[in-house]
Amino acid sequence: MINKRARVAGFAAAAAVVALSLSACSGGASASTADTAKINSATDVASAGGMDALVAAAKKEGSLNIIATPGDWANYQEIFDGFTKKYGITINPSQDSASSQEEIDAAKKLKGQDTAPDTFDIGSSVALANTEYFAPYKPTGWDDIPANQKEKDGLWKVGYYGVMAVGYDANKIKTAPKSFDDLLKPEFKGAVALNGNPTQAAAAAGAVAYATLQNGGTLDDLTPGIDWFTKLKKAGNWNAADGKPNTIASGETPVLLDWSFNQKGYATSDTIKGGGVNWKYVVLPGTAYVGYYNQAINKDAPHPAAARLWEEYLYSDAAQNAWLKGGAYPARVDAMEKAGTLDKDEFPGKLDEVAVMSDKQATDAGTLLNAKWANAVG
């Protein structure tokens, strides 16, 4: 079973807008029931009465409840700080380690309460199965989001995605790996680890998927990836330690397959750098394995205007570049690069080709890993 920050797969289609109008509220008092109803029906900034009206309504609400979105994940803290500084709205985080399904469960349990989540940062398979809990909304920049990364009415849309990458301590590994074959060489003796167990952790399962793609396989069958790890074990290069910041800092796991945003976090960690580790990472040429992270608004959000304003901010250049700085690829990356608004200093470059898991592929992968993983590296 893949846990929260392992959410994989994502696909959908085009666009449609329902035009409604919202009159701006006067300052000071809380929004009226009628105004709240109009905000709840707003499907884009125009139908919210324009940006000024949306901002005014959100400021009156004063708060935004987020769930399962830790500040140290993909540079979210910079996004929190930017949103609050720009709009003066307090962000109330909860359940940082919750899974995607637990986000939905919290919305059900807390429905009608002020503490219910306003928004979701959610994996694709859970998003696809729970669209009944989402409010349709198309933020500014909607047209920049690729068609296969959004639901046609705006119920969910990819915000950013992680890419599987090979991280390594450049003080120990003098030459960056250029392929999975390089990881089988003697200089990687006992070095190559995963972030967790592939039967339980998404990052580790993603590493097996990545190995599959890099060895000529497809996501329909992860056997080539499992077989590659068997080769890694026979070569003496497998490291059974659970790769985490502390094992990187101690030197126990000098090479780690993990998501790009985690790798970026390791590379910039004062603790890891303070331990004498020079952490770098590479996305290998060829097909990249990615995991989509989708944004959605709770249809019963206690702060419906703030939830919509949050999405407006998430798809702004500032927030998209903040995700990029955190090692993730933002959904608007191609359009921003074309427009010249992408932070080129943080951009690792275009991916040759990407692959994401469908819900069925993820289920089949879990079954296969449960059956074969222990024998592959045991």
Side-chain angles (χ1 to χ4, degrees):
M1 189 80 187
I2 291 178
N3 67 18
K4 144 119 175 149
R5 291 293 161 184
R7 313 172 243 173
V8 291
F11 35 101
V17 176
V18 178
L20 297 165
S21 65
L22 174 67
S23 56
C25 303
S26 57
S30 58
S32 69
T33 301
D35 289 332
T36 300
K38 289 178 181 179
I39 283 288
N40 272 323
S41 300
T43 57
D44 62 8
V45 71
S47 62
M51 194 62 169
D52 288 347
L54 181 61
V55 171
K59 284 185 173 182
K60 286 175 183 177
E61 292 172 352
S63 296
L64 175 77
N65 298 340
I66 62 168
I67 184 172
T69 312
D72 60 358
W73 173 265
N75 199 30
Y76 252 114
Q77 190 61 53
E78 183 173 322
I79 297 174
F80 299 159
D81 293 343
F83 180 76
T84 297
K85 181 178 181 180
K86 186 169 185 176
Y87 299 115
I89 294 170
T90 301
I91 292 177
N92 304 314
S94 66
Q95 299 184 53
D96 279 356
S97 61
S99 69
S100 291
Q101 186 56 54
E102 286 168 341
E103 293 184 56
I104 300 298
D105 293 344
K108 294 178 185 177
K109 180 180 179 180
L110 298 172
K111 181 178 178 179
Q113 299 183 38
D114 289 342
T115 54
D118 289 306
T119 66
F120 305 107
D121 180 282
I122 199 166
S124 293
S125 55
V126 174
L128 289 168
N130 291 280
T131 55
E132 65 190 281
Y133 298 102
F134 307 154
Y137 191 78
K138 298 178 182 179
T140 305
W142 169 264
D143 291 342
D144 292 343
I145 304 170
N148 67 337
Q149 294 180 26
K150 57 191 177 186
E151 192 277 330
K152 64 182 180 64
D153 295 320
L155 291 173
W156 57 260
K157 65 289 293 180
V158 172
Y160 61 97
Y161 49 97
V163 181
M164 267 293 145
V166 183
Y168 63 98
D169 181 358
N171 289 336
K172 293 182 177 180
I173 306 298
K174 301 302 183 181
T175 303
K178 295 181 174 61
S179 69
F180 266 67
D181 284 344
D182 285 349
L183 299 177
L184 300 173
K185 294 178 179 178
E187 52 262 46
F188 291 90
K189 201 75 171 177
V192 184
L194 299 182
N195 179 358
N197 185 309
T199 64
Q200 301 173 354
V208 179
Y210 190 28
T212 296
L213 295 169
Q214 289 281 317
N215 284 277
T218 73
L219 298 182
D220 289 329
D221 181 1
L222 299 194
T223 297
I226 296 172
D227 290 344
W228 182 85
F229 277 96
T230 299
K231 289 182 184 178
L232 187 76
K233 175 72 183 287
K234 288 181 178 178
N237 293 4
W238 167 245
N239 184 328
D242 187 357
K244 300 293 181 188
N246 64 311
T247 65
I248 292 173
S250 69
E252 185 180 0
T253 55
V255 179
L256 182 64
L257 301 177
D258 203 348
W259 292 116
S260 55
F261 39 72
N262 287 340
Q263 303 282 14
K264 187 62 174 285
Y266 305 147
T268 56
S269 165
D270 289 339
T271 299
I272 289 174
K273 289 189 290 186
V277 173
N278 180 18
W279 197 256
K280 297 182 180 297
Y281 68 96
V282 293
V283 176
L284 301 175
T287 304
Y289 179 71
V290 307
Y292 287 147
Y293 293 79
N294 305 281
Q295 304 303 312
I297 295 171
N298 182 1
K299 72 173 185 179
D300 298 310
H303 309 104
R308 285 158 175 78
L309 186 61
W310 174 243
E311 285 211 347
E312 290 293 331
Y313 189 73
L314 289 180
Y315 291 90
S316 70
D317 290 348
Q320 294 274 294
N321 274 322
W323 273 325
L324 185 67
K325 184 178 178 181
Y329 278 72
R332 295 180 53 238
V333 61
D334 291 339
M336 288 172 63
E337 184 183 26
K338 185 176 180 180
T341 59
L342 195 69
D343 186 342
K344 293 181 179 179
D345 291 338
E346 298 291 346
F347 185 42
K350 285 184 177 294
L351 301 172
D352 293 338
E353 186 178 350
V354 301
V356 297
M357 275 195 185
S358 69
D359 200 18
K360 182 181 185 305
Q361 287 172 331
T363 299
D364 291 345
T367 300
L368 184 67
L369 286 166
N370 282 327
K372 294 189 173 183
W373 179 252
N375 289 333
V377 297

